[in-house]
Coordinates of all heavy atoms in Angstrom, one line a residue:
M1 N -160.4 82.6 -106.4 CA -161.4 82.3 -107.4 C -162.1 83.7 -107.6 O -162.5 84.4 -106.8 CB -162.5 81.3 -106.9 CG -163.7 81.3 -107.8 SD -165.0 80.1 -107.3 CE -164.5 78.7 -108.1
A2 N -162.3 84.0 -108.9 CA -162.9 85.3 -109.2 C -164.4 85.3 -109.0 O -165.0 84.2 -109.1 CB -162.6 85.6 -110.7
G3 N -164.9 86.4 -108.7 CA -166.4 86.5 -108.5 C -167.1 86.8 -109.9 O -166.5 86.7 -110.9
R4 N -168.3 87.0 -109.9 CA -169.1 87.2 -111.0 C -169.0 88.7 -111.4 O -169.0 89.5 -110.5 CB -170.6 86.9 -110.7 CG -171.5 86.9 -111.9 CD -172.9 86.6 -111.6 NE -173.7 87.9 -111.5 CZ -174.0 88.5 -110.3 NH1 -173.6 88.0 -109.2 NH2 -174.6 89.7 -110.3
I5 N -168.7 89.0 -112.7 CA -168.6 90.4 -113.0 C -169.9 91.1 -112.8 O -171.0 90.7 -113.2 CB -168.2 90.6 -114.5 CG1 -166.9 89.9 -114.7 CG2 -168.2 92.1 -114.9 CD1 -165.7 90.4 -114.0
S6 N -169.8 92.3 -111.9 CA -171.0 93.0 -111.6 C -171.2 94.4 -112.1 O -172.2 95.0 -112.3 CB -171.2 93.1 -110.0 OG -170.1 93.8 -109.5
D7 N -170.0 94.9 -112.6 CA -169.9 96.3 -113.1 C -168.7 96.4 -114.0 O -167.7 95.8 -113.6 CB -170.0 97.3 -111.9 CG -170.4 98.7 -112.5 OD1 -170.7 98.8 -113.7 OD2 -170.3 99.6 -111.7
S8 N -168.9 97.3 -115.0 CA -167.7 97.5 -115.8 C -167.7 98.9 -116.3 O -168.8 99.5 -116.4 CB -167.8 96.6 -117.2 OG -167.7 95.2 -116.8
L9 N -166.6 99.5 -116.5 CA -166.5 100.9 -117.0 C -165.4 100.9 -118.0 O -164.3 100.3 -117.8 CB -166.1 101.9 -115.9 CG -167.3 102.2 -114.8 CD1 -166.6 103.1 -113.7 CD2 -168.4 102.9 -115.5
E10 N -165.6 101.6 -119.1 CA -164.7 101.8 -120.2 C -164.0 103.1 -120.0 O -164.7 104.1 -119.7 CB -165.3 101.6 -121.5 CG -165.8 100.2 -121.8 CD -166.3 99.9 -123.2 OE1 -166.4 100.8 -123.9 OE2 -166.6 98.7 -123.5
Y11 N -162.6 103.1 -120.3 CA -161.9 104.4 -120.2 C -161.2 104.6 -121.5 O -160.5 103.7 -122.0 CB -160.9 104.3 -119.1 CG -161.5 104.2 -117.7 CD1 -161.7 103.0 -117.1 CD2 -161.9 105.4 -117.0 CE1 -162.3 102.9 -115.8 CE2 -162.4 105.3 -115.8 CZ -162.7 104.1 -115.2 OH -163.2 104.0 -114.0
S12 N -161.3 105.8 -122.1 CA -160.6 106.1 -123.3 C -159.8 107.4 -123.2 O -159.2 107.9 -124.2 CB -161.6 106.2 -124.5 OG -162.6 107.3 -124.2
S13 N -159.9 108.0 -122.0 CA -159.1 109.3 -121.8 C -158.1 109.0 -120.7 O -158.5 108.6 -119.7 CB -160.0 110.4 -121.4 OG -159.3 111.5 -121.1
F14 N -156.9 109.3 -121.0 CA -155.8 108.9 -120.0 C -154.9 110.1 -119.8 O -153.8 110.0 -119.8 CB -155.0 107.8 -120.6 CG -155.8 106.5 -120.9 CD1 -156.2 106.3 -122.3 CD2 -156.2 105.7 -119.9 CE1 -157.0 105.2 -122.5 CE2 -156.9 104.5 -120.1 CZ -157.4 104.3 -121.6
T15 N -155.5 111.4 -119.7 CA -154.7 112.5 -119.5 C -154.1 112.6 -118.1 O -153.2 113.4 -117.9 CB -155.7 113.8 -119.8 OG1 -156.8 113.7 -118.9 CG2 -156.1 113.9 -121.3
S16 N -154.7 111.9 -117.2 CA -154.1 111.8 -115.8 C -154.3 110.4 -115.3 O -155.1 109.6 -115.9 CB -154.8 112.8 -114.9 OG -156.1 112.5 -114.8
A17 N -153.7 110.0 -114.2 CA -153.8 108.7 -113.6 C -155.3 108.4 -113.2 O -156.0 109.3 -112.9 CB -152.9 108.6 -112.4
I18 N -155.7 107.2 -113.4 CA -157.0 106.8 -113.1 C -157.0 105.8 -111.8 O -156.4 104.7 -111.9 CB -157.7 106.0 -114.2 CG1 -157.8 106.9 -115.5 CG2 -159.1 105.6 -113.8 CD1 -158.2 106.3 -116.7
D19 N -157.5 106.2 -110.7 CA -157.5 105.4 -109.5 C -158.7 104.5 -109.6 O -159.9 104.8 -109.2 CB -157.7 106.3 -108.3 CG -157.5 105.6 -107.0 OD1 -157.6 104.3 -107.0 OD2 -157.1 106.2 -106.0
L20 N -158.5 103.2 -110.0 CA -159.5 102.2 -110.2 C -160.1 101.7 -108.9 O -161.3 101.5 -108.7 CB -159.0 101.0 -111.0 CG -158.6 101.4 -112.5 CD1 -157.8 100.2 -113.1 CD2 -159.8 101.8 -113.2
Y21 N -159.3 101.7 -107.8 CA -159.7 101.3 -106.5 C -160.8 102.2 -105.9 O -161.8 101.9 -105.4 CB -158.6 101.1 -105.5 CG -159.0 100.5 -104.2 CD1 -159.1 99.1 -104.0 CD2 -159.3 101.3 -103.1 CE1 -159.5 98.6 -102.9 CE2 -159.7 100.8 -101.9 CZ -159.8 99.4 -101.8 OH -160.2 98.9 -100.6
A22 N -160.5 103.6 -106.2 CA -161.3 104.5 -105.6 C -162.8 104.7 -106.3 O -163.8 105.0 -105.6 CB -160.7 105.9 -105.7
V23 N -162.9 104.1 -107.5 CA -164.1 104.2 -108.2 C -165.2 103.4 -107.5 O -166.3 103.9 -107.3 CB -163.9 103.7 -109.6 CG1 -165.2 103.6 -110.4 CG2 -163.0 104.6 -110.4
K24 N -164.9 102.2 -107.1 CA -165.9 101.3 -106.4 C -165.4 101.0 -105.0 O -166.2 100.3 -104.3 CB -166.0 100.1 -107.2 CG -166.4 100.3 -108.6 CD -167.9 100.6 -108.7 CE -168.3 100.8 -110.1 NZ -169.8 101.2 -110.2
G25 N -164.2 101.4 -104.5 CA -163.9 101.1 -103.2 C -163.4 99.7 -103.0 O -163.4 99.1 -101.9
R26 N -163.0 99.1 -104.0 CA -162.5 97.7 -104.1 C -161.7 97.4 -105.3 O -161.7 98.2 -106.2 CB -163.7 96.7 -104.0 CG -164.7 96.7 -105.1 CD -165.8 95.8 -104.9 NE -166.6 95.5 -106.1 CZ -167.8 96.1 -106.4 NH1 -168.1 97.1 -105.6 NH2 -168.4 95.7 -107.5
Y27 N -160.9 96.3 -105.2 CA -160.1 95.9 -106.4 C -161.0 95.5 -107.6 O -162.0 95.0 -107.4 CB -159.2 94.8 -105.9 CG -158.2 95.2 -104.9 CD1 -158.4 94.6 -103.6 CD2 -157.2 96.1 -105.1 CE1 -157.5 94.9 -102.6 CE2 -156.4 96.4 -104.0 CZ -156.5 95.8 -102.8 OH -155.6 96.2 -101.8
I28 N -160.3 95.8 -108.7 CA -160.9 95.3 -110.0 C -160.7 93.8 -110.0 O -159.7 93.2 -109.5 CB -160.4 96.0 -111.3 CG1 -158.9 95.8 -111.5 CG2 -160.7 97.5 -111.2 CD1 -158.5 96.2 -112.8
D29 N -161.5 93.1 -110.8 CA -161.4 91.7 -111.0 C -160.4 91.5 -112.3 O -159.6 90.6 -112.3 CB -162.7 91.0 -111.3 CG -162.6 89.6 -111.6 OD1 -162.2 88.8 -110.6 OD2 -162.9 89.1 -112.6
S30 N -160.6 92.4 -113.3 CA -159.8 92.3 -114.5 C -159.7 93.7 -115.2 O -160.7 94.4 -115.0 CB -160.2 91.2 -115.4 OG -161.5 91.5 -115.8
L31 N -158.7 93.8 -116.0 CA -158.6 95.0 -116.8 C -158.4 94.4 -118.3 O -157.4 93.8 -118.5 CB -157.5 95.8 -116.4 CG -157.3 97.2 -117.2 CD1 -158.4 98.1 -116.9 CD2 -156.0 97.9 -116.9
E32 N -159.4 94.8 -119.2 CA -159.3 94.3 -120.6 C -158.7 95.4 -121.5 O -159.1 96.6 -121.4 CB -160.6 94.0 -121.0 CG -161.3 92.8 -120.3 CD -162.7 92.6 -120.9 OE1 -162.8 92.2 -122.0 OE2 -163.6 92.8 -120.1
I33 N -157.7 95.2 -122.2 CA -157.2 96.1 -123.2 C -158.0 95.9 -124.5 O -158.0 94.8 -125.1 CB -155.7 95.9 -123.5 CG1 -154.9 95.8 -122.2 CG2 -155.2 96.9 -124.5 CD1 -155.1 97.0 -121.3
L34 N -158.8 96.9 -124.9 CA -159.8 96.7 -126.0 C -159.2 97.1 -127.3 O -159.3 96.4 -128.3 CB -161.2 97.4 -125.7 CG -161.9 96.9 -124.4 CD1 -163.1 97.8 -124.2 CD2 -162.2 95.5 -124.6
T35 N -158.6 98.3 -127.3 CA -158.0 98.7 -128.6 C -156.7 99.4 -128.3 O -156.5 100.1 -127.3 CB -158.9 99.8 -129.3 OG1 -159.2 100.9 -128.6 CG2 -160.2 99.1 -129.9
V36 N -155.8 99.2 -129.3 CA -154.5 99.8 -129.2 C -154.1 100.4 -130.7 O -154.7 100.0 -131.6 CB -153.4 98.8 -128.7 CG1 -153.7 98.3 -127.4 CG2 -153.2 97.7 -129.8
S37 N -153.1 101.2 -130.6 CA -152.5 101.6 -131.9 C -151.0 101.5 -131.9 O -150.3 102.0 -131.0 CB -152.9 103.1 -132.2 OG -152.4 104.0 -131.2
G38 N -150.5 100.7 -132.7 CA -149.1 100.4 -132.8 C -148.7 99.6 -131.6 O -149.3 98.9 -131.0
S39 N -147.4 99.8 -131.3 CA -146.8 99.3 -130.1 C -147.4 99.9 -128.9 O -147.3 101.2 -128.7 CB -145.2 99.4 -130.2 OG -144.7 98.9 -129.0
A40 N -147.9 99.1 -127.9 CA -148.6 99.8 -126.9 C -148.1 99.2 -125.5 O -147.8 98.1 -125.2 CB -150.1 99.3 -126.9
T41 N -148.1 100.1 -124.5 CA -147.7 99.8 -123.1 C -148.8 100.4 -122.2 O -149.3 101.5 -122.5 CB -146.3 100.2 -122.7 OG1 -146.3 101.6 -122.9 CG2 -145.3 99.6 -123.6
I42 N -148.9 99.8 -121.0 CA -149.7 100.4 -120.0 C -148.9 100.3 -118.6 O -148.3 99.3 -118.4 CB -151.1 99.7 -119.9 CG1 -152.0 100.4 -118.8 CG2 -150.9 98.2 -119.6 CD1 -153.4 100.0 -118.9
T43 N -148.8 101.4 -118.0 CA -148.2 101.5 -116.6 C -149.2 101.5 -115.6 O -150.1 102.3 -115.6 CB -147.2 102.7 -116.5 OG1 -146.3 102.6 -117.6 CG2 -146.5 102.7 -115.2
V44 N -149.2 100.5 -114.7 CA -150.2 100.3 -113.6 C -149.5 100.3 -112.2 O -148.3 99.9 -112.1 CB -151.0 99.1 -113.9 CG1 -151.7 99.2 -115.1 CG2 -150.2 97.8 -113.9
A45 N -150.3 100.6 -111.2 CA -149.9 100.4 -109.8 C -150.6 99.2 -109.4 O -151.8 99.0 -109.7 CB -150.4 101.6 -109.0
M46 N -150.0 98.4 -108.6 CA -150.5 97.0 -108.0 C -150.7 97.2 -106.6 O -149.9 97.8 -106.0 CB -149.6 95.9 -108.5 CG -149.2 95.9 -109.9 SD -150.5 95.2 -111.0 CE -150.4 93.5 -110.6
S47 N -151.6 96.4 -106.0 CA -151.9 96.5 -104.7 C -150.7 95.8 -103.8 O -150.5 96.2 -102.7 CB -153.1 95.7 -104.2 OG -153.0 94.3 -104.5
D48 N -150.0 94.9 -104.4 CA -148.9 94.2 -103.8 C -147.5 94.7 -104.1 O -146.5 94.0 -103.8 CB -149.0 92.7 -104.1 CG -148.8 92.3 -105.6 OD1 -148.8 93.4 -106.4 OD2 -148.7 91.2 -105.9
S49 N -147.3 95.8 -104.6 CA -146.1 96.3 -105.1 C -145.9 97.9 -105.0 O -146.9 98.5 -105.3 CB -145.8 95.9 -106.5 OG -144.5 96.5 -106.9
A50 N -144.8 98.3 -104.5 CA -144.7 99.8 -104.3 C -144.3 100.3 -105.5 O -144.4 101.6 -105.9 CB -143.6 100.1 -103.2
A51 N -143.7 99.5 -106.4 CA -143.2 100.0 -107.8 C -144.3 99.9 -108.8 O -145.0 98.9 -108.9 CB -141.9 99.3 -108.2
N52 N -144.4 100.8 -109.8 CA -145.3 100.7 -110.8 C -144.8 99.7 -111.8 O -143.6 99.5 -111.9 CB -145.5 102.1 -111.6 CG -146.2 103.1 -110.7 OD1 -146.9 102.8 -109.8 ND2 -146.0 104.3 -111.1
R53 N -145.7 99.0 -112.6 CA -145.3 98.1 -113.6 C -145.7 98.6 -115.0 O -146.8 98.9 -115.2 CB -145.9 96.6 -113.3 CG -145.4 96.1 -112.0 CD -145.8 94.8 -111.7 NE -145.4 94.3 -110.5 CZ -146.0 93.2 -110.0 NH1 -146.9 92.5 -110.5 NH2 -145.5 92.9 -108.7
T54 N -144.8 98.4 -115.9 CA -145.1 98.8 -117.3 C -145.2 97.5 -118.1 O -144.2 96.7 -118.1 CB -144.0 99.7 -117.9 OG1 -144.0 101.0 -117.1 CG2 -144.3 100.0 -119.4
L55 N -146.3 97.3 -118.7 CA -146.6 96.1 -119.4 C -146.8 96.3 -120.9 O -147.6 97.3 -121.3 CB -147.8 95.4 -118.8 CG -147.8 95.2 -117.3 CD1 -149.2 94.9 -116.8 CD2 -146.9 94.2 -116.9
T56 N -146.2 95.5 -121.7 CA -146.5 95.7 -123.2 C -147.8 94.8 -123.5 O -147.8 93.7 -123.0 CB -145.3 95.1 -124.0 OG1 -144.1 95.9 -123.7 CG2 -145.5 95.1 -125.5
V57 N -148.7 95.5 -124.1 CA -150.0 94.8 -124.4 C -150.4 94.8 -125.8 O -149.9 95.7 -126.6 CB -151.0 95.5 -123.5 CG1 -150.8 95.2 -122.0 CG2 -151.2 96.9 -123.8
I58 N -151.4 94.0 -126.2 CA -152.0 94.0 -127.5 C -153.5 94.0 -127.2 O -154.0 93.8 -126.2 CB -151.6 92.8 -128.4 CG1 -152.1 91.5 -127.6 CG2 -150.1 92.8 -128.6 CD1 -151.8 90.2 -128.5
A59 N -154.3 94.4 -128.3 CA -155.8 94.3 -128.1 C -156.2 92.9 -127.8 O -155.7 92.0 -128.3 CB -156.4 94.7 -129.4
G60 N -157.0 92.8 -126.8 CA -157.5 91.5 -126.4 C -156.8 91.1 -125.0 O -157.2 90.1 -124.4
T61 N -155.7 91.7 -124.6 CA -155.0 91.2 -123.4 C -156.0 91.5 -122.2 O -156.7 92.6 -122.1 CB -153.8 92.2 -123.2 OG1 -152.9 92.0 -124.3 CG2 -153.1 91.8 -121.9
V62 N -156.0 90.5 -121.3 CA -156.8 90.6 -120.1 C -155.9 90.5 -118.9 O -155.1 89.5 -118.8 CB -157.9 89.5 -120.1 CG1 -158.7 89.7 -118.8 CG2 -158.9 89.7 -121.2
L63 N -155.8 91.5 -118.1 CA -155.0 91.5 -117.0 C -155.8 91.2 -115.7 O -156.6 91.9 -115.4 CB -154.3 92.9 -116.8 CG -153.5 93.4 -118.0 CD1 -153.1 94.9 -117.8 CD2 -152.3 92.5 -118.3
N64 N -155.5 90.1 -115.2 CA -156.3 89.6 -114.0 C -155.3 89.8 -112.8 O -154.9 88.8 -112.1 CB -156.5 88.1 -114.2 CG -157.5 87.8 -115.3 OD1 -158.5 88.5 -115.4 ND2 -157.2 86.8 -116.1
S65 N -155.2 91.0 -112.3 CA -154.3 91.3 -111.2 C -155.0 92.4 -110.4 O -156.0 93.1 -110.9 CB -153.0 91.8 -111.7 OG -152.4 90.9 -112.5
K66 N -154.6 92.6 -109.1 CA -155.1 93.6 -108.3 C -154.5 94.9 -108.6 O -153.7 95.5 -108.0 CB -154.9 93.2 -106.9 CG -155.8 92.1 -106.4 CD -155.5 91.9 -104.9 CE -156.5 90.7 -104.4 NZ -156.3 90.5 -103.1
I67 N -154.9 95.4 -109.8 CA -154.4 96.7 -110.3 C -155.3 97.8 -109.6 O -156.5 97.8 -109.6 CB -154.6 96.8 -111.8 CG1 -153.8 95.8 -112.6 CG2 -154.3 98.3 -112.3 CD1 -154.1 95.6 -114.0
T68 N -154.6 98.8 -109.0 CA -155.3 99.8 -108.2 C -155.3 101.2 -109.1 O -156.2 101.9 -108.8 CB -154.6 100.1 -106.9 OG1 -153.3 100.5 -107.1 CG2 -154.7 98.9 -106.0
Q69 N -154.5 101.2 -110.1 CA -154.4 102.5 -110.7 C -153.8 102.3 -112.2 O -152.9 101.6 -112.2 CB -153.6 103.5 -109.9 CG -153.7 104.9 -110.5 CD -152.9 105.8 -109.4 OE1 -151.6 105.7 -109.3 NE2 -153.5 106.8 -108.9
I70 N -154.4 103.0 -113.2 CA -153.7 103.2 -114.4 C -152.9 104.4 -114.3 O -153.5 105.5 -114.2 CB -154.8 103.2 -115.5 CG1 -155.6 102.0 -115.6 CG2 -154.0 103.5 -116.9 CD1 -156.7 102.0 -116.6
V71 N -151.6 104.4 -114.3 CA -150.7 105.5 -114.2 C -150.5 106.2 -115.5 O -150.7 107.4 -115.5 CB -149.3 105.1 -113.6 CG1 -148.4 106.2 -113.6 CG2 -149.5 104.3 -112.3
S72 N -150.3 105.5 -116.5 CA -150.2 106.1 -117.9 C -150.2 105.0 -119.0 O -150.2 103.9 -118.7 CB -148.8 106.8 -118.0 OG -147.8 105.9 -117.9
V73 N -150.5 105.4 -120.2 CA -150.4 104.5 -121.3 C -149.7 105.1 -122.5 O -149.5 106.3 -122.6 CB -152.0 104.2 -121.7 CG1 -152.8 103.6 -120.7 CG2 -152.7 105.5 -122.3
S74 N -149.3 104.3 -123.4 CA -148.8 104.7 -124.7 C -149.3 103.8 -125.7 O -149.1 102.5 -125.6 CB -147.3 104.5 -124.6 OG -146.7 104.8 -125.9
G75 N -150.1 104.3 -126.6 CA -150.7 103.5 -127.7 C -152.0 102.8 -127.3 O -152.6 102.1 -128.2
V76 N -152.4 102.8 -126.1 CA -153.6 102.1 -125.6 C -154.8 103.2 -125.8 O -154.6 104.3 -125.2 CB -153.5 101.7 -124.1 CG1 -154.8 101.2 -123.7 CG2 -152.4 100.6 -124.0
T77 N -155.9 102.8 -126.4 CA -156.9 103.9 -126.7 C -158.2 103.5 -126.0 O -159.0 104.4 -125.8 CB -157.2 104.0 -128.2 OG1 -157.5 102.7 -128.7 CG2 -155.8 104.5 -128.9
L78 N -158.4 102.3 -125.5 CA -159.6 101.9 -124.9 C -159.4 100.7 -124.0 O -158.8 99.7 -124.4 CB -160.8 101.6 -125.9 CG -162.1 101.3 -125.3 CD1 -162.8 102.5 -124.6 CD2 -163.1 100.9 -126.4
V79 N -159.8 100.9 -122.7 CA -159.7 99.7 -121.8 C -161.1 99.5 -121.1 O -161.9 100.5 -121.0 CB -158.6 99.9 -120.7 CG1 -157.2 100.0 -121.3 CG2 -158.9 101.0 -119.8
R80 N -161.4 98.3 -120.6 CA -162.6 98.1 -119.7 C -162.1 97.5 -118.4 O -161.4 96.6 -118.4 CB -163.5 97.1 -120.4 CG -164.7 96.9 -119.6 CD -165.6 95.8 -120.2 NE -166.0 96.3 -121.5 CZ -165.9 95.5 -122.7 NH1 -165.4 94.3 -122.6 NH2 -166.4 96.0 -123.8
A81 N -162.5 98.3 -117.3 CA -162.2 97.7 -116.0 C -163.5 97.0 -115.5 O -164.6 97.5 -115.7 CB -161.9 98.9 -115.0
N82 N -163.3 95.8 -114.9 CA -164.4 94.9 -114.4 C -164.2 94.7 -113.0 O -163.2 94.3 -112.5 CB -164.3 93.6 -115.1 CG -164.5 93.7 -116.6 OD1 -165.4 94.3 -117.1 ND2 -163.5 93.2 -117.3
W83 N -165.3 95.0 -112.2 CA -165.4 94.7 -110.8 C -166.2 93.6 -110.7 O -167.3 93.4 -111.4 CB -165.9 95.9 -110.1 CG -165.0 97.1 -110.0 CD1 -164.2 97.4 -109.0 CD2 -164.8 98.1 -110.9 NE1 -163.5 98.5 -109.3 CE2 -163.9 99.0 -110.4 CE3 -165.4 98.4 -112.2 CZ2 -163.5 100.1 -111.1 CZ3 -165.0 99.5 -112.9 CH2 -164.0 100.3 -112.4
A84 N -166.1 92.8 -109.6 CA -166.8 91.5 -109.4 C -167.6 91.5 -108.0 O -167.2 92.2 -107.1 CB -165.9 90.3 -109.5
D85 N -168.6 90.7 -108.0 CA -169.2 90.4 -106.7 C -168.4 89.2 -106.1 O -168.2 88.3 -106.8 CB -170.6 90.0 -106.8 CG -171.6 91.2 -107.2 OD1 -171.2 92.3 -106.8 OD2 -172.5 91.0 -107.8
W86 N -168.0 89.3 -104.9 CA -167.2 88.2 -104.3 C -168.1 87.3 -103.4 O -168.9 87.6 -102.8 CB -166.0 88.7 -103.6 CG -165.2 89.6 -104.4 CD1 -165.2 90.9 -104.7 CD2 -164.2 89.0 -105.3 NE1 -164.2 91.3 -105.6 CE2 -163.6 90.1 -106.0 CE3 -163.8 87.8 -105.6 CZ2 -162.7 90.0 -107.0 CZ3 -162.7 87.6 -106.6 CH2 -162.2 88.8 -107.2

């Protein structure tokens, strides 16, 4: 069961990987894709997998996974990472 959202940060610069786990020292509750341009993908690292995953996304997509890092993006211009109180 998800906790109550306690903090959120928006990211619009993806010049290097973003370690979401390190920001708060815990897993995010969700990652919202807010805006995209054209065909968009996001490559993320997951806590339960050694391999990165590349996902095709649209604006409004909500990823409810233990994403630890945004590795790279293509066409994604704004995301919101949400951390929860458990």
Side-chain angles (χ1 to χ4, degrees):
M1 172 185 262
R4 189 181 100 259
I5 300 299
S6 63
D7 196 5
S8 299
L9 290 173
E10 292 183 356
Y11 295 93
S12 61
S13 176
F14 305 99
T15 56
S16 62
I18 299 169
D19 188 342
L20 297 170
Y21 187 86
V23 172
K24 300 285 179 186
R26 63 186 193 264
Y27 296 112
I28 64 169
D29 184 61
S30 63
L31 183 68
E32 299 175 65
I33 310 303
L34 300 177
T35 57
V36 301
S37 61
S39 178
T41 61
I42 186 168
T43 301
V44 296
M46 310 283 286
S47 66
D48 61 350
S49 175
N52 293 338
R53 296 185 184 168
T54 300
L55 309 166
T56 301
V57 294
I58 61 172
T61 299
V62 178
L63 303 171
N64 294 313
S65 301
K66 289 185 178 177
I67 296 169
T68 57
Q69 187 176 65
I70 299 172
V71 177
S72 64
V73 301
S74 174
V76 175
T77 55
L78 183 64
V79 301
R80 180 183 299 129
N82 300 302
W83 288 265
D85 288 331
W86 299 97

